[in-house]
């Protein structure tokens, strides 16, 4: 994996995820079409992390990890749909097009999110065998995205307005880092990695997730709408406790670089099979979308 071109690696794996996602949306009823509207685009970072971890941990059959990787993307998309609702961040533009509630109305947007959330757990259980691993995936993901994870992070993100480092850290950890970390964990679980490695991957994944939210916060200030596919400037307008709000843009950039270094140290310690995660970390640090 050394010297791999990370841009090509991400593009290749994104294409695999896109193709797999397309197959998971049957023509069964119009709700699937509404759900797919929001799923259709996105960087696919969480599924790619799950796939990379599965491979780095010795997993060989991508058919094992793909439905789980896609399930993560459905939950992530669900969180974006609900995040954009007028009752939450009230955004009209997502993934380069009208947000679901603008396109289909609020009721359909809420239902499409509900559908994606439930359908994700169906995908986690797809295929024969590996029942214990699938149960471990369901437990890990529900913990990471539920009331002690992403949902709590969203509550803090909406309600906490104190521009303090500890407030920001709690938001970053829960809203974003736990989800990024669990994406890496599920790859390891499905590859039957040993418990101590899964817990080290969790730690490294949390660092990568915090870095991801730092760069998301920075891009909200310096990013360009057509590249981001969402409206920049929203954090400041709504008084969010973002990294630039706490440290200024340069202070946030400095800390993001420190998080990237820490993340790479943690992945490097796991051996050269995990080098791809160092490349992905560099990509996250430098990303423009
Ligand atoms: C149960 C998961 C869940 C959600 C309910 C609405 C809500 C509670 C949470 C919202 C959390 C949220 C929007 C976090 C932001 C995380 C983040 C950095 C999003 C941007 O992710 P990218 O850049 O987006 O990977 P794309 O569009 O490329 O997939």
């Amino acid at each position: 994996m050394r010297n791999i071109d990370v841009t090509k690696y991400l593009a290749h794996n994104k294409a695999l995820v896109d193709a797999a996602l397309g197959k998971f949306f049957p023509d069964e009823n119009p709700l699937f079409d509404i759900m797919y509207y929001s799923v259709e685009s996105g960087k696919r970072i969480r599924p790619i992390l799950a796939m990379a971890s599965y491979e780095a941990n010795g997993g060989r059959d991508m058919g094992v990890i793909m439905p789980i990787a896609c399930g993560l993307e459905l939950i992530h998309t669900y969180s974006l749909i609900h995040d954009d609702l007028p009752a939450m961040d009230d955004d009209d533009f997502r993934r380069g097009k009208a947000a679901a509630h603008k396109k289909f109305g609020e009721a359909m947007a809420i239902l499409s999110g509900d559908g994606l959330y439930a359908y994700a757990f169906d995908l986690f259980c797809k295929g024969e065998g590996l029942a214990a691993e699938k149960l471990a995936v369901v437990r890990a993901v529900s913990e990471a995205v539920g009331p002690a994870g992403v949902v709590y992070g969203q509550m803090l993100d909406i309600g906490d307005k104190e521009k303090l480092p500890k407030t920001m850290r709690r938001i970053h950890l829960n809203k974003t880092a736990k989800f990024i970390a669990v994406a890496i964990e599920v790859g390891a679980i499905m590859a039957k990695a040993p418990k101590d490695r899964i817990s080290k991957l969790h730690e490294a994944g949390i660092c990568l997730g915090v870095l991801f939210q730092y760069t998301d916060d920075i891009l909200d200030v310096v990013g360009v709408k057509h590249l981001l596919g969402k409206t920049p400037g929203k954090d400041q307008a709504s008084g969010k406790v973002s990294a630039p709000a706490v440290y200024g843009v340069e202070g946030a950039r400095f800390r993001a670089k420190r998080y990237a270094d820490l993340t790479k140290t943690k992945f490097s310690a796991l051996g050269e099979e995990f080098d791809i995660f160092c490349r992905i970390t560099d990509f996250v640090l430098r990303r423009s979308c």
Side-chain angles (χ1 to χ4, degrees), residues 53-71:
S53 174
Y54 178 71
E55 280 194 304
N57 283 289
R60 290 291 165 259
D61 178 1
M62 292 311 277
V64 164
I65 194 64
M66 193 55 96
I68 292 169
C70 289

Side-chain angles (χ1 to χ4, degrees), residues 21 62 91 97 112 121 123 132 145 163 173 179 185 201 209 217 237 253 263 272 275 280-281 285 288:
L21 280 167
M62 292 311 277
D91 214 322
K97 57 190 182 182
S112 70
F121 287 88
L123 296 195
V145 304
K163 310 256 177 328
L173 173 68
F179 200 168
E185 280 169 69
L201 283 168
D217 288 358
R253 280 192 169 127
T263 306
E272 70 173 36
D275 190 58
I280 294 175
T281 302
L285 179 65
S288 56

Side-chain angles (χ1 to χ4, degrees), residues 43 46 76 78-79 83 95 145 151 154 175 212-213:
K43 292 184 290 296
R46 294 152 194 82
H76 169 57
Y78 152 60
S79 79
D83 188 51
R95 292 182 156 176
V145 304
V151 179
Q154 180 73 347
K175 183 174 86 158
F212 195 86
Q213 190 56 51

Side-chain angles (χ1 to χ4, degrees), residues 15-289:
L16 296 179
V17 174
D18 287 346
L21 280 167
K23 291 194 187 121
F24 287 129
F25 280 83
D27 236 358
E28 199 167 309
N29 68 49
L31 183 56
F32 281 96
D33 298 335
I34 297 176
M35 284 153 59
Y36 190 66
Y37 171 84
S38 299
V39 168
E40 206 169 15
S41 46
K43 292 184 290 296
R44 314 304 193 204
I45 285 293
R46 294 152 194 82
I48 292 171
L49 289 172
M51 292 156 73
S53 174
Y54 178 71
E55 280 194 304
N57 283 289
R60 290 291 165 259
D61 178 1
M62 292 311 277
V64 164
I65 194 64
M66 193 55 96
I68 292 169
C70 289
L72 296 175
E73 187 63 20
L74 302 197
I75 295 179
H76 169 57
T77 306
Y78 152 60
S79 79
L80 301 180
I81 294 171
H82 281 208
D83 188 51
D84 289 339
L85 290 169
M88 301 236 187
D89 275 7
D90 192 10
D91 214 322
D92 291 354
F93 190 64
R94 175 68 74 173
R95 292 182 156 176
K97 57 190 182 182
H101 70 94
K102 272 283 153 191
K103 176 88 177 166
F104 303 106
E106 277 183 57
M108 287 307 127
I110 292 169
L111 289 175
S112 70
D114 296 342
L116 287 167
Y117 200 17
Y119 194 34
F121 287 88
D122 185 3
L123 296 195
F124 293 155
C125 302
K126 276 239 173 313
E128 296 299 311
L130 295 166
E133 286 73 19
K134 286 173 188 163
L135 181 62
V137 165
V138 167
R139 291 186 86 162
V141 175
S142 33
E143 192 181 322
V145 304
V150 181
V151 179
Y152 177 54
Q154 180 73 347
M155 185 184 121
L156 297 172
D157 187 68
I158 290 171
D160 257 333
K161 299 293 171 208
E162 264 187 333
K163 310 256 177 328
L164 297 174
K166 72 167 188 210
T167 312
M168 183 209 72
R169 274 198 296 272
R170 204 157 45 197
I171 294 172
H172 281 191
L173 173 68
N174 287 286
K175 183 174 86 158
T176 307
K178 287 183 179 178
F179 200 168
I180 296 275
V182 85
I184 298 170
E185 280 169 69
V186 299
I189 291 170
M190 293 312 289
K192 301 184 185 234
K195 279 211 167 68
D196 66 320
R197 191 180 314 137
I198 297 177
S199 96
K200 284 179 185 153
L201 283 168
H202 172 83
E203 265 183 45
I206 291 287
C207 283
L208 177 61
V210 170
L211 168 65
F212 195 86
Q213 190 56 51
Y214 260 91
T215 51
D216 193 82
D217 288 358
I218 294 167
L219 286 171
D220 185 75
V221 179
V222 304
V224 192
K225 186 173 178 178
H226 77 272
L227 290 178
L228 291 177
K230 60 181 179 179
T231 320
K234 295 279 295 187
D235 290 349
Q236 198 186 3
S238 51
K240 287 279 162 79
V241 189
S242 69
V246 173
Y247 297 118
V249 173
E250 281 319 306
R253 280 192 169 127
F254 175 77
R255 283 168 175 82
K257 167 82 175 64
R258 264 199 336 213
Y259 262 102
D261 291 342
L262 180 62
T263 306
K264 288 191 283 183
T265 303
K266 287 183 185 288
F267 280 119
S268 298
L270 290 165
E272 70 173 36
E273 298 87 345
F274 293 86
D275 190 58
I276 184 61
F277 289 98
C278 297
R279 307 283 81 78
I280 294 175
T281 302
D282 284 330
F283 168 84
V284 171
L285 179 65
R286 298 198 191 106
R287 72 197 179 106
S288 56
C289 64

